[in-house]
Amino acid sequence: MASGVWWRDAVIYQVYIRSFADGDGDGLGDVAGIRSRLGYLADLGVDALWINPWYPSPMADAGYDVSDYRAVEPRFGTLEDAEALVREAHDVGLRVLLDVVPNHSSDQHPWFVEAVEAGPGSPLRDRYVFRPGGGPDGAEPPNQWRSVFGGPAWERVVEPDGTPGEWYLHLFAPEQPDLNWEHPDVAADFEKTLRFWFDRGVDGFRIDVAHSLVKEEGLPDVADVADLDWPRPPVEVDGRLQRAPWRPHPFWDRDEVHDVYRAWRQVADSYADPKVFVAEAWVDEPERLARYLRPDELHTAFNFTYLQATWDAGYLRRVITETLDEQGAVGAPATWVLSNHDVVRHLSRLARDRQAPGSSLEQLRGTTPDLDLGRRRSRAAVLLTLSLPGGAYVYQGEELGLPEVEDLPDDVLQDPTWERSGHTDRGRDGCRVPLPWSGDRPPYGFGPEGGAAPWLPQPDDWGPLTAEAQRDDPGSMLALYRAALHERRALPALGDGGMAWLDLPDGALGFTRDPGFACLVNVSGDPLPLPAGYAVRLASGPLDDGRLPRDRAVWLTRE
Ligand code: NOJ
């Protein structure tokens, strides 16, 4: 790969710890499970792991409600186990990123518990966002802001004297009170947390909702409550759907948030082998996203505009070009991501013909998946993703071709969205189903023999999708990922660097990269002839008489 700085073109594998592998047999994935599968990850050919929150948590939002940032949840293991994992990962050449959650803590965090106990007017409440209620007796929320999981973004506390009292802000679940980033204790404590893990060898952090943290002074209402929606629905321009233009928002993507990251960058740069950050910032405008990536701020950010793109050659080309232009302008590498633990697995998204960009089950409601189509497109999409300039993310299980589990029974759903939406939005559990490793029936080797059932049920027809079933099958999704990742390491054109678009017929995408590489994707066009002078290095599926059929991609190298 072209670059000397590892994070500029790293492929980072997302380990959703509770669903990756269960080492102790309690039905929940854990640190021991990850340690037992490091060989699999090294063999796959990724460069680093990002592990979702493993801190002590009441699990109101699957660990994104943290009650102690500098410890490990006992159900996941111990701090010693975590340190051993970092060492062992390094030994097999894998870097390790953790997940830091700075917008909110758990309501069981000692700061929040003592804030509630201290009563109104106490400075201990200033580390969070407490306000008196509206209406004559304070029984109305302080403003009209809505929680991402549904319902008002405010919860009322019972004061120590037993009376209904102040309200606190929670942009997510009520068990996730927002921290007040104006308070010096908050910034100081997070810097301590960063150093705590960096000092234990952790190589970087993914920053949860990096675009929140700072709220508009006075917490104002907006004129039209629809303006609070985020991400904003696409708008139609000249008959085509496009992303909505950016406008200021009272709690997302405020300019002041960048001061936090300038300070964090200094912490990262103070290490001999500098540490790195990746922003989870659902900021749709490439120019706004690039602001997080200025040279004295964060290193990289997830590209959710790419993740949400429709399977449309023109749209994809626009998103890719804008990303490279805007991020290149601040000197940052692009990243490419197809799935994560918050969105419908891309195999199931690509299994639909949809017009509007999107990624949730809600947005796909009323459409029927064609999983064979989804599989063909997913194979093509990963070749596109892994050959674009910059870094890439792989969400656990996508290398096995797992679909979204769309028919989980109501009574097993755990995502807070399900309750908060009044049982209208089924939420994100369908992409979080525990991985199938081996065998032909649940629990597919997820945990040790005789252990508890996995925390979410696995489908009965996943036998052919296990890692074991795919390992020696050259036509499997796993084989394609392994081949692509190994080629990516071998080919000097891939990773960081530039690219040039090829002029191709409608419905096709193609580009070259120096030296001697080309990627062609037939998104929706007629069978596409391959350019002269190139040989096929890797294909997502069979060619049709030497031409590239629709929903297929190839990597070519110069003969
Ligand atoms: C983004 C995380 O990815 C998601 O899983 C979580 O629910 C929210 N942030 C709140 O922390």
Side-chain angles (χ1 to χ4, degrees):
M1 281 177 281
S3 133
V5 181
W6 75 269
W7 49 266
R8 289 190 66 92
D9 48 20
V11 179
I12 301 181
Y13 184 97
Q14 179 186 350
V15 176
Y16 191 65
I17 182 168
R18 48 197 295 127
S19 302
F20 185 68
D22 172 15
D24 65 4
D26 66 353
L28 194 68
D30 47 33
V31 176
I34 306 174
R35 288 171 72 186
S36 73
R37 301 286 178 184
L38 287 174
Y40 167 85
L41 296 170
D43 177 57
L44 184 61
V46 296
D47 303 302
L49 315 180
W50 147 39
I51 304 171
N52 288 96
W54 62 13
Y55 318 107
S57 165
M59 303 286 167
D61 182 22
Y64 282 95
D65 46 323
V66 179
S67 52
D68 181 352
Y69 289 86
R70 297 185 286 272
V72 172
E73 162 65 37
R75 281 171 283 180
F76 291 147
T78 63
L79 186 57
E80 290 69 38
D81 296 337
E83 289 174 332
L85 163 61
V86 174
R87 275 195 310 275
E88 290 164 8
H90 287 169
D91 287 347
V92 294
L94 296 168
R95 309 248 183 182
V96 178
L97 275 66
L98 301 184
D99 203 323
V100 64
V101 189
N103 180 69
H104 43 264
S105 72
S106 159
D107 63 350
Q108 300 305 309
H109 189 288
W111 276 3
F112 190 76
V113 173
E114 66 187 20
V116 174
E117 283 170 358
S122 162
L124 292 176
R125 288 206 168 172
D126 293 345
R127 293 174 178 145
Y128 292 90
V129 186
F130 280 87
R131 292 288 182 279
D137 52 3
E140 305 285 328
N143 72 16
Q144 102 258 79
W145 295 2
R146 316 282 302 162
S147 144
V148 173
F149 295 150
W154 295 93
E155 187 78 7
R156 195 170 194 187
V157 295
V158 176
E159 299 300 359
D161 64 3
T163 56
E166 290 189 320
W167 296 69
Y168 65 88
L169 179 69
H170 59 88
L171 292 185
F172 292 88
E175 296 87 351
Q176 294 168 296
D178 277 51
L179 287 155
N180 171 17
W181 273 86
E182 309 285 321
H183 196 296
D185 285 0
V186 173
D189 199 66
F190 274 93
E191 291 195 18
K192 196 167 161 191
T193 295
L194 297 178
R195 287 191 188 282
F196 178 88
W197 293 106
F198 287 157
D199 291 345
R200 283 164 179 75
V202 164
D203 300 287
F205 277 98
R206 174 257 191 195
I207 305 170
D208 190 60
V209 271
H211 59 312
S212 51
L213 274 58
V214 179
K215 280 80 190 179
E216 186 172 350
E217 173 111 44
L219 313 181
D221 277 341
V222 288
D224 178 356
V225 80
D227 279 348
L228 292 173
D229 286 353
W230 191 278
R232 298 206 162 95
V235 289
E236 204 172 306
V237 180
D238 299 333
R240 295 189 69 106
L241 281 165
Q242 304 220 355
R243 295 185 307 278
W246 183 84
R247 271 174 294 149
H249 192 282
F251 48 91
W252 298 129
D253 190 29
R254 300 200 54 80
D255 287 339
E256 305 85 335
V257 80
H258 296 280
D259 295 338
V260 174
Y261 302 128
R262 290 195 186 95
W264 284 21
R265 180 62 179 251
Q266 288 182 16
V267 176
D269 284 350
S270 70
Y271 286 80
D273 183 12
K275 310 295 185 178
V276 304
F277 294 112
V278 51
E280 188 226 14
W282 287 84
V283 176
D284 235 4
E285 276 282 298
E287 188 273 330
R288 294 292 305 179
L289 187 62
R291 290 168 181 247
Y292 291 79
L293 306 175
R294 290 175 287 201
D296 58 347
E297 296 195 40
L298 304 176
H299 303 74
T300 61
F302 294 105
N303 187 344
F304 293 127
T305 314
Y306 179 71
L307 179 151
Q308 298 190 86
T310 49
W311 189 242
D312 172 295
Y315 194 98
L316 283 164
R317 182 168 167 158
R318 261 202 322 276
V319 170
I320 294 167
T321 304
E322 284 176 11
T323 302
L324 293 171
D325 287 353
E326 294 293 348
Q327 304 201 1
V330 290
T335 70
W336 311 101
V337 58
L338 292 166
S339 280
N340 66 29
H341 65 292
D342 289 329
V343 300
V344 171
R345 283 189 175 274
H346 64 263
L347 189 141
S348 296
R349 278 186 277 125
L350 293 171
R352 269 106 171 166
D353 274 312
R354 61 199 170 95
Q355 302 303 313
S359 56
S360 71
L361 268 185
E362 270 307 279
Q363 288 159 323
L364 299 180
R365 199 202 280 262
T367 57
T368 314
D370 170 349
L371 292 183
D372 285 335
L373 176 67
R375 204 161 293 122
R376 280 198 302 282
R377 289 181 174 171
S378 296
R379 293 175 66 90
V382 72
L383 291 195
L384 172 64
T385 302
L386 291 177
S387 58
L388 290 168
Y393 283 83
V394 173
Y395 174 48
Q396 69 177 41
E398 68 169 80
E399 80 280 18
L400 302 176
L402 298 188
E404 181 82 3
V405 182
E406 297 185 35
D407 58 356
L408 284 170
D410 293 359
D411 61 347
V412 304
L413 295 180
Q414 301 206 14
D415 184 349
T417 307
W418 174 238
E419 288 300 328
R420 299 276 303 168
S421 68
H423 296 183
T424 57
D425 185 338
R426 302 182 66 77
R428 303 160 294 175
D429 290 317
C431 65
R432 300 174 174 182
V433 171
L435 288 194
W437 289 98
S438 57
D440 54 11
R441 69 180 83 86
Y444 302 112
F446 176 65
E449 199 79 28
W455 69 280
L456 281 175
Q458 299 155 304
D460 289 333
D461 60 357
W462 274 12
L465 297 179
T466 65
E468 182 186 61
Q470 297 192 45
R471 192 180 48 212
D472 300 320
D473 172 2
S476 68
M477 188 72 88
L478 181 57
L480 179 70
Y481 269 72
R482 210 193 293 126
L485 288 164
H486 286 260
E487 287 289 11
R488 187 181 152 98
R489 281 196 179 154
L491 292 169
L494 296 190
D496 202 12
M499 63 176 264
W501 288 112
L502 291 167
D503 198 13
L504 295 176
D506 274 359
L509 274 183
F511 53 89
T512 56
R513 303 196 59 189
D514 286 336
F517 174 88
C519 173
L520 253 57
V521 189
N522 188 344
V523 178
S524 59
D526 294 330
L528 189 69
L530 302 185
Y534 283 93
V536 174
R537 187 88 179 210
L538 191 59
S540 70
L543 299 187
D544 170 8
D545 208 8
R547 291 174 310 165
L548 186 66
R550 92 173 24 186
D551 298 319
R552 219 144 264 174
V554 273
W555 284 4
L556 307 169
T557 47
R558 233 183 230 299
E559 285 176 310

